[in-house]
Amino acid sequence: MRLHLTRFAVATRFTLFEHGRNRFAMVLVILFIPVWTSLAYLVMPDAPARMRLRATGEALAPHGNELTAISGALNAVTLITGFMMFAATFSGSGFDRRLAMAGYPRAHLVLAKVTALALVSAAVAVYATAVVCLAWTPRQPLLLAASLFCAGVTYGALGVVFGSLLRREVEGMFAIVMTSIIDLALQNPITSSGADNSFMRCLPSYGAMQASTAAGFSTNPVPGHLALQLTWFGLAALVALLGFRHSTRNCLPTASTAPPGPGSGKAGIPAPRQPAGPSATASDTEAH
């Protein structure tokens, strides 16, 4: 048991160290979240936006800038966590493959990545919630932080999927950005007239968007939509696990111990000729 904990701790430490080396992501966390959330709050008009919240069935009329600030916080959290997990997976895939081929248990590597994803998502979600609370006070700040966390881990798992399966870095970055933009822009009633469409339930962050909107403008808890978002995380994590297993598969040829025979279909390698020793020289002399 102690050996398993040691291997898990070592893998987690290396994974967190890899995230810490991504200074561009650190700059995004520190600057992008407050800038994007503040711009959404200050620039958008504060006129009431009438909407029906599917999570609770309530008819709400929140200020447009507050609703857009929540959407902007979700967009920032999903982009940053997805980018961080994609960058760590893409740059560390060769190292993970060598560890797996050297015999390091894959289960410890996967658990380390999940632990790092949870820690990164929690830190980013708490920071984004604090930034939102500086501008205005949501009715349920803890629910808002939980919603941001669930959205973060979902897109973090998607980042691992893209990092394991895509060949070039620009492809993964484009996939993360476009997925997050399309996902959240379609659900914002300020920017999309079809936000009430039933198709929105199929989007990756539908549960988080409903829960965070309820956190901002309602006092009703919505555990079902948090569970829906965690279901999306589970599906993304399963695909990420399959992608990680594929990227760390053993590519070394298996050695065959059986000697090649007539029916093996493989040509035998002739043995090298040995130099004549004293015994062979003596027998040649006797023969003469």
Side-chain angles (χ1 to χ4, degrees):
M1 184 64 181
R2 186 175 181 180
L3 178 61
H4 290 292
L5 291 176
T6 302
R7 288 176 173 175
F8 168 71
V10 171
T12 304
R13 186 170 68 251
F14 273 105
T15 305
L16 293 176
F17 178 74
E18 184 69 23
H19 285 301
R21 291 178 57 190
N22 193 346
R23 297 183 179 180
F24 180 66
M26 299 297 106
V27 173
L28 287 179
V29 172
I30 296 173
L31 297 180
F32 180 67
I33 291 180
V35 169
W36 176 228
T37 306
S38 301
L39 285 177
Y41 180 78
L42 295 174
V43 174
M44 294 298 295
D46 60 353
R50 299 188 180 275
M51 58 173 291
R52 180 170 294 277
L53 184 61
R54 290 179 175 268
T56 61
E58 298 175 88
L60 303 175
H63 294 290
N65 57 346
E66 296 176 353
L67 184 60
T68 307
I70 286 181
S71 178
L74 275 170
N75 183 227
V77 169
T78 54
L79 283 176
I80 290 174
T81 54
F83 165 69
M84 291 183 68
M85 295 306 297
F86 166 77
T89 304
F90 188 84
S91 61
S93 59
F95 183 65
D96 291 335
R97 187 182 300 113
R98 290 192 295 271
L99 283 177
M101 293 173 65
Y104 206 95
R106 294 182 183 178
H108 297 80
L109 297 175
V110 172
L111 288 176
K113 291 186 180 298
V114 173
T115 302
L117 171 58
L119 293 175
V120 168
S121 300
V124 175
V126 170
Y127 181 64
T129 303
V131 170
V132 171
C133 291
L134 289 177
W136 58 282
T137 304
R139 296 193 176 185
Q140 302 182 72
L142 292 180
L143 179 59
L144 178 59
S147 305
L148 295 176
F149 170 78
C150 293
V153 293
T154 301
Y155 270 80
L158 290 176
V160 176
V161 173
F162 296 145
S164 300
L165 301 181
L166 297 181
R167 298 290 184 179
R168 292 185 296 178
E169 191 171 3
V170 66
E171 297 174 356
M173 297 302 300
F174 181 81
I176 293 171
V177 171
M178 293 308 299
T179 302
S180 178
I181 291 177
I182 294 174
D183 181 13
L184 294 167
L186 291 177
Q187 297 186 65
N188 189 353
I190 304 297
T191 59
S192 174
S193 59
D196 292 335
N197 195 303
S198 58
F199 172 75
M200 301 302 161
R201 299 179 181 180
C202 302
L203 295 177
S205 66
Y206 173 77
M209 186 67 179
Q210 291 289 310
S212 59
T213 305
F217 312 106
S218 175
T219 57
N220 295 323
V222 285
H225 285 76
L226 289 179
L228 175 62
Q229 190 62 47
L230 290 177
T231 302
W232 261 102
F233 163 68
L235 295 175
L238 178 60
V239 179
L241 176 61
L242 296 176
F244 179 77
R245 181 179 179 84
H246 174 75
S247 64
T248 58
R249 68 189 186 280
N250 192 345
C251 300
L252 291 178
T254 55
S256 176
T257 56
S264 63
K266 297 181 180 180
I269 300 176
R273 295 183 60 183
Q274 300 292 334
S279 57
T281 306
S283 49
D284 288 343
T285 306
E286 292 175 359
H288 286 297

